[in-house]
Amino acid sequence: MKEKLFVVKIGGALIDDDELLNQFLEQFSEIKEKKILVHGGGKLATTLADKLGIEQKLVNGRRITDKDTLDIVAMVYAGGINKNIVAKLQQKKCKAIGFSGADANLIKAKKRKNAEIDFGFVGDVEEKSVNRKLINKLLKLSLTPVFSAITHDKKGNLLNTNADTIASVIAQSLSSKYEVELLYCFDKEGVLGDVDNPKSVIKTVSEEEFSILKEEGKLHKGILPKLENALGAVKNNVNKVFLIKETQLKNHIENHHAGTEICL
Amino acid sequence: MKEKLFVVKIGGALIDDDELLNQFLEQFSEIKEKKILVHGGGKLATTLADKLGIEQKLVNGRRITDKDTLDIVAMVYAGGINKNIVAKLQQKKCKAIGFSGADANLIKAKKRKNAEIDFGFVGDVEEKSVNRKLINKLLKLSLTPVFSAITHDKKGNLLNTNADTIASVIAQSLSSKYEVELLYCFDKEGVLGDVDNPKSVIKTVSEEEFSILKEEGKLHKGILPKLENALGAVKNNVNKVFLIKETQLKNHIENHHAGTEICL
C-alpha cells in the first residue's frame, strides 16, 4: 500500500488574516502524515503595487503580469509570505522548507503564449512540470515543502503562476508514489448548491454535476478555477480531492467528512 | 582527504548591477566543486522603504530593524533577490536552491539582546546555529544552496542577520566534513595597504597585521566586519579564507592567486 500524502492549498483571504492563518497553521502542523502546503497571494502585493504607483495592467479585461508586477509578486509571495509561513510552522515543530518553483528547478513552467494577449510573466504548469524525484527525496527527509506560486522558465525568468493549478499538478505528479489527498481550503464550507445559503453544501460533485452547475450559473464567484483544477487532479490519479473550509482542516482529517468531495 | 567546498559571499553593490551580477553568476556556476552562495542586500530594500515612507530608525547612531523594516528586508532579500539569483543560476545549469535560515531550520539565530539598545528583529549567529547535517545532505544531492541573510528564532519570527557572518558560520560549520575555502567577494582587488591606490593589495593579512592596520586607521570603510568574520573563520578550522574582487572569482579558483588571504 502507498504511503499517504496530503497536498493542502490555502488562499489569499486566509493569508491576510494573521489570527486565522495562525490557527490554520496549528492544524496543518498537527497532520501526522507526509504533507505539502501551497499558498496563494493575498492583498499585500496589490497594496504594495498601489503604494508604489505601479498600475495594474488589463488587456481585454485580463490581468497582465508586467516586469514591475512580477518583481512585486516574487518579493511578496516567495519572500514575505512564504518565509513568514515557514517561520511560523517551524515554531510549531513542523519541519517546513519554503520554495519557489525556481528552487532546485522544482517546478518549471512555460511562459504563456496567446495569439491575442501577451500575459507577460505568467507561467503555465502541468504534471510533468514538477520535479517529483527531488520533492520525494525532501519528503523522505521528513521535510514539509511549502510552495509559493512563483515558478520559472529555466531561461532565467521568474513567472507568476496560478496557485490552485500548482497544487493540482504537484498532487498529480506525486500520485505514482503516494496515496495523495488534495485539499483546497477556502472560506466556504464547500461547494454550495445555493450561494446565499452557507448550509447548502453539496457532498460530492462529479464532472457531470460540475458541468450542470456551471451551465446553470449556480456556482459562487472564484470557485470555477478551483473546481477545474480539482477535476484535473481526480482525472490524473489523485486519490481524493476535497474543497473544505479552512477552519475545518483538522476535523476533515480526523473525521473524513467536511466539505465537498470532487469525483469523476 | 576531505572533499573541497567553496562558500562564496557577495554583497550589495554587485547585486544592484544586473550585468555585473550576471557575469559573476556565470563564473560561480562554472565552479566544478561543491559550492554555497551567500548574498547580502543591496539598495532595493532602502529604496522600497523610502518609497513606502518607512523611516530608517537609528538609536545612538545604530540602525534598528523594526517590524516594518523586517517585513521589507524579508521580502526583498529572501524573495526578490534570492529567487532572481536562483532562477539565473538555474539558467546557467547550476542546481541552485534558495533559502532563508527559517527554511528547514537551516540557520537558527538568537535575537540580539543589548542592555542599552533594542536592535529590533536582528539575529546573531554562531557555528552551532547552522544545520550542518541537512546542508550536507543537500550538497550530496548535487544542489547548490543560495542563502539570503534572513534567519529565524524558532519562535515564529524572522530576523535580519549580517550576511558576512552567515557566510563565516556556514564555512566553520561545514569544515568538519569538507576542506572549505571561504571567499568574500567585493569591489576591491583585496585588502589595500593604501586605500587610494587600488594596486596596493596586501597578499596576506594575519590577525596581528589586522590589529596593526586597524589601529593605524588604514583600512577602507566597511572592510572591518568582513575581516573580523574572515578571521573568525580561520580560527575555527576553515581551510582557506580570501577577500577577492568579484570579477576575479574564476581567475582566483583556476590560478589560486587573486586577492588577500587571511591567516592566523
Side-chain angles (χ1 to χ4, degrees), chain A residues 109-122:
Chain A
K110 277 189 184 153
K111 197 161 181 274
R112 187 176 296 171
K113 277 185 186 159
N114 183 298
E116 286 157 35
I117 305 171
D118 178 4
F119 285 95
F121 294 93
V122 170

Side-chain angles (χ1 to χ4, degrees), chain A residues 72-91:
Chain A
I72 297 281
V73 297
M75 284 197 309
V76 173
Y77 299 175
I81 296 172
N82 189 269
K83 299 315 167 198
N84 271 298
I85 288 177
V86 167
K88 280 177 182 153
L89 285 173
Q90 284 286 342
Q91 177 196 20

Side-chain angles (χ1 to χ4, degrees), chain A residues 61-216:
Chain A
R62 303 290 298 267
R63 200 182 297 177
I64 307 301
T65 305
D66 62 1
K67 186 64 172 73
D68 285 341
T69 306
L70 176 74
D71 286 345
I72 297 281
V73 297
M75 284 197 309
V76 173
Y77 299 175
I81 296 172
N82 189 269
K83 299 315 167 198
N84 271 298
I85 288 177
V86 167
K88 280 177 182 153
L89 285 173
Q90 284 286 342
Q91 177 196 20
K92 299 175 200 309
K93 318 270 185 241
C94 170
K95 294 179 180 174
I97 183 165
F99 293 122
S100 74
D103 296 303
N105 193 27
L106 288 171
I107 310 173
K108 189 177 85 176
K110 277 189 184 153
K111 197 161 181 274
R112 187 176 296 171
K113 277 185 186 159
N114 183 298
E116 286 157 35
I117 305 171
D118 178 4
F119 285 95
F121 294 93
V122 170
D124 289 320
V125 291
E126 51 191 334
E127 185 183 343
K128 68 176 184 187
S129 313
V130 179
N131 186 341
R132 175 178 57 204
K133 210 170 144 184
L134 188 60
I135 295 181
N136 190 32
K137 279 184 184 164
L138 297 168
L139 289 170
K140 283 188 187 303
L141 291 171
S142 299
L143 296 170
T144 294
V146 177
F147 282 93
S148 60
I150 300 295
T151 59
H152 77 144
D153 61 2
K154 255 228 152 195
K155 294 169 190 163
N157 301 302
L158 296 171
L159 297 169
N160 193 7
T161 300
N162 184 290
D164 289 333
T165 312
I166 286 186
S168 180
V169 299
I170 288 175
Q172 291 170 42
S173 162
L174 286 153
S175 286
S176 62
K177 299 261 180 199
Y178 294 89
E179 189 199 308
V180 179
E181 182 163 337
L182 171 61
L183 302 176
Y184 285 104
C185 301
F186 70 143
D187 58 357
K188 304 281 187 299
E189 294 286 344
V191 180
L192 303 180
D194 171 4
V195 288
D196 298 320
N197 178 5
K199 293 202 167 159
S200 65
V201 179
I202 307 173
K203 279 286 163 195
T204 60
V205 170
S206 68
E207 189 170 14
E208 202 187 329
E209 286 159 340
F210 169 62
S211 298
I212 296 167
L213 284 164
K214 197 164 71 168
E215 262 175 40
E216 288 174 346

Side-chain angles (χ1 to χ4, degrees), chain B residues 112-254:
Chain B
R112 187 175 297 171
K113 277 184 186 159
N114 183 299
E116 285 157 36
I117 305 172
D118 178 3
F119 284 95
F121 294 93
V122 170
D124 289 319
V125 290
E126 50 190 336
E127 185 183 344
K128 66 177 184 185
S129 313
V130 179
N131 187 341
R132 175 178 57 202
K133 211 171 145 182
L134 189 60
I135 295 180
N136 190 34
K137 280 182 185 165
L138 297 168
L139 289 169
K140 283 188 186 303
L141 290 171
S142 300
L143 295 169
T144 295
V146 177
F147 282 92
S148 61
I150 300 294
T151 59
H152 77 143
D153 61 2
K154 256 232 151 191
K155 294 170 189 162
N157 302 303
L158 296 171
L159 297 169
N160 193 7
T161 300
N162 183 291
D164 289 333
T165 312
I166 286 186
S168 180
V169 298
I170 288 176
Q172 291 171 42
S173 162
L174 286 153
S175 287
S176 61
K177 299 262 180 199
Y178 294 90
E179 189 198 309
V180 179
E181 181 162 339
L182 171 62
L183 303 175
Y184 285 104
C185 301
F186 70 142
D187 57 358
K188 305 279 186 298
E189 294 285 345
V191 180
L192 303 180
D194 171 3
V195 289
D196 298 320
N197 177 7
K199 294 202 168 162
S200 64
V201 178
I202 308 174
K203 278 284 161 196
T204 59
V205 170
S206 67
E207 191 170 12
E208 202 185 329
E209 286 159 341
F210 169 63
S211 298
I212 297 167
L213 284 164
K214 197 163 74 167
E215 262 175 41
E216 289 175 343
K218 275 191 169 177
L219 295 165
H220 50 266
K221 213 186 135 195
I223 209 175
L224 263 177
K226 250 182 247 309
L227 280 171
E228 278 161 0
N229 282 301
L231 274 166
V234 177
K235 282 189 206 168
N236 283 287
N237 307 312
V238 176
N239 202 260
K240 284 175 183 291
V241 184
F242 287 87
L243 271 69
I244 65 169
K245 193 172 169 79
E246 296 136 346
T247 50
Q248 294 296 316
L249 180 65
K250 190 177 171 168
N251 181 31
H252 174 81
I253 286 174
E254 290 178 359

Side-chain angles (χ1 to χ4, degrees), chain A residues 7 9 162-172 175 180-186 191 204-207 210 222-244 260-264:
Chain A
V7 177
K9 153 80 190 4
N162 184 290
D164 289 333
T165 312
I166 286 186
S168 180
V169 299
I170 288 175
Q172 291 170 42
S175 286
V180 179
E181 182 163 337
L182 171 61
L183 302 176
Y184 285 104
C185 301
F186 70 143
V191 180
T204 60
V205 170
S206 68
E207 189 170 14
F210 169 62
I223 208 174
L224 264 177
K226 249 181 247 310
L227 280 170
E228 279 161 359
N229 282 303
L231 274 165
V234 177
K235 283 189 206 169
N236 283 288
N237 307 313
V238 176
N239 202 260
K240 285 175 183 291
V241 184
F242 288 86
L243 272 69
I244 65 169
T260 299
E261 180 162 12
I262 312 303
C263 42
L264 284 182

